[in-house]
Amino acid sequence: MPACRRRADYLAYPMRPTPKTASPLPPNKSGLHPRNRQRGRYDFAQLIGCSPALTRFVARNPYGDDSIDFADPAAVRALNAALLKFNYGVDHWALPPQYLCPPIPGRADYVHYLADLLAERHGGEIPTGDAVRVLDVGVGANCIYPLIGHGEYGWHFVGFDIDRAALDCAQTMLDANPSFAAAIELRLQGNPRAIFRGMIGERERFHLTLCNPPFHASLAEARAGSERKWRNLGKADPDAAAPRLNFGGHGAELHCPGGEEGFIRRMIAESADYSEQCLWFSSLVSKAATLPVALRALRAAGAREHRVIDMAQGQKRSRILAWTYYDEDERRA
């Protein structure tokens, strides 16, 4: 296997020791999960060797280290492509500029914490292989969670979205990566007011769901938030007709009625209808103020247990909310 391919060669489900990286990790980045392959400082020489397209974005920063301009969406897309290839074996990843460009370390953390959740009632070992089925709510054009989750643990994913063009983009990437295409299925949610309805078949079962819900309640709110970020980065354009959206972002990726709070409340309410078909439901919760509302919704829905898992990536703080309708003995079974 080439040096730029570190994807684990996993054996069959149900059990394998917790995956380790191929070599000792460099000094840690603050707050990332212990198994996160991005914990150490980026080795740009290795990344460029794996993905030469990154070369033109790498330069010395004021501290004399190789880096990129993280305020440049094109540079971040190139870095993502290199990280996905180097760490997870994704040979081809390309994203049109209008779509949301996700930070790989934070997305990987979400996957690792869900893996820990499965390991709790599995003898402390993380279940791997394609018998583990995961549902990605709002997979988007970047398809990032299925790519990381399959590359890291060999899981099977079903990802759905209301944006047909985004799904077409994701499918093009999968077609260019046959080993991933075989383990990742994409579905169109034809009802923009529904979440799980129509996406979980009558006889389907999933171990996990995950979701990065739209943050804002409207496009105007999304633009205002992005403009604040650009000003903080010293990149605001006073002559622009409208604020640039930070690292892309298209329609339903950024906003929905009720914003993050409204989306999570609707997701929890619908999850009760599929209580026996999924072991753990989950969502990212970016706003601390959303959490009390979500917990009240879980009590109303009759969830048996929930977890709040704190995450940190540098200065950024967020959390995962996970809930289940199974008791402890049922989860173990």
Side-chain angles (χ1 to χ4, degrees):
M1 183 174 290
C4 66
R5 298 292 297 275
R6 291 190 179 182
R7 184 180 171 199
D9 180 19
Y10 291 115
L11 300 178
Y13 181 82
M15 191 178 293
R16 234 199 126 176
T18 299
K20 301 292 193 297
T21 51
S23 58
L25 289 167
N28 297 337
K29 292 176 183 172
S30 173
L32 291 180
H33 190 282
R35 289 193 305 280
N36 195 315
R37 295 178 186 270
Q38 286 73 226
R39 282 187 93 203
R41 298 177 64 180
Y42 295 136
D43 187 327
F44 283 99
Q46 285 187 319
L47 292 174
I48 288 171
C50 192
S51 183
L54 180 62
T55 306
R56 70 187 184 94
F57 297 105
V58 177
R60 294 281 181 179
N61 64 20
Y63 302 99
D65 298 320
D66 284 340
S67 188
I68 65 166
D69 180 0
F70 285 93
D72 178 358
V76 176
R77 287 194 297 272
L79 175 61
N80 279 3
L83 290 172
L84 288 168
K85 187 171 186 179
F86 184 79
N87 288 317
Y88 306 106
V90 180
D91 287 327
H92 304 283
W93 187 84
L95 188 68
Q98 70 268 29
Y99 285 108
L100 189 65
C101 187
I104 301 295
R107 299 303 190 255
D109 258 20
Y110 190 177
V111 172
H112 289 307
Y113 281 116
L114 291 185
D116 291 343
L117 204 57
L118 289 184
E120 285 182 1
R121 299 295 177 265
H122 197 249
E125 300 289 349
I126 296 170
T128 63
D130 61 7
V132 178
R133 289 172 52 82
V134 185
L135 186 67
D136 184 357
V137 179
V139 63
N142 57 64
C143 202
I144 201 68
Y145 290 120
L147 292 173
I148 293 174
H150 181 68
E152 191 72 71
Y153 296 115
W155 295 341
H156 179 95
F157 277 80
V158 173
F160 68 85
D161 207 289
I162 64 172
D163 185 341
R164 185 184 296 274
L167 290 175
D168 288 343
C169 179
Q171 188 62 57
T172 298
M173 284 192 288
L174 293 178
D175 291 343
N177 296 276
S179 64
F180 287 84
I184 300 170
E185 176 189 349
L186 302 178
R187 298 176 183 175
L188 176 67
Q189 171 57 278
N191 182 356
R193 294 182 296 277
I195 298 177
F196 297 117
R197 288 197 303 274
M199 293 294 100
I200 299 180
E202 183 178 349
R203 298 184 179 181
E204 280 191 301
R205 300 291 186 271
F206 291 94
H207 295 79
L208 301 165
T209 76
L210 51 74
C211 179
N212 183 17
F215 187 78
H216 300 288
S218 67
L219 178 59
E221 184 182 310
R223 289 192 180 279
S226 289
E227 182 62 13
R228 285 193 298 271
K229 292 179 182 178
W230 286 115
R231 284 198 301 269
N232 291 339
L233 289 167
K235 303 286 185 178
D237 182 1
D239 298 323
R244 294 171 293 172
L245 293 172
N246 195 32
F247 300 119
H250 182 76
E253 289 184 310
L254 297 174
H255 60 89
C256 69
E260 177 185 81
E261 179 183 308
F263 191 95
I264 292 175
R265 281 193 289 106
R266 291 192 296 275
M267 182 162 50
I268 290 171
E270 279 197 31
S271 73
D273 296 332
Y274 301 92
S275 60
E276 296 183 0
Q277 292 180 254
C278 182
L279 183 59
W280 284 101
F281 296 89
S282 76
S283 176
L284 281 181
V285 181
S286 295
K287 300 178 181 179
T290 298
L291 194 57
V293 176
L295 295 180
R296 288 195 295 271
L298 285 177
R299 288 193 291 271
R304 301 292 290 270
E305 187 173 341
H306 72 269
R307 304 286 177 81
V308 178
I309 304 168
D310 291 323
M311 296 198 303
Q313 183 184 352
Q315 298 296 321
K316 180 178 173 57
R317 297 291 186 270
S318 63
R319 57 216 52 83
I320 300 165
L321 176 63
W323 65 96
T324 182
Y325 295 92
Y326 287 93
D327 63 27
E328 185 171 341
D329 290 339
E330 290 170 333
R331 293 200 304 276
R332 184 178 292 108

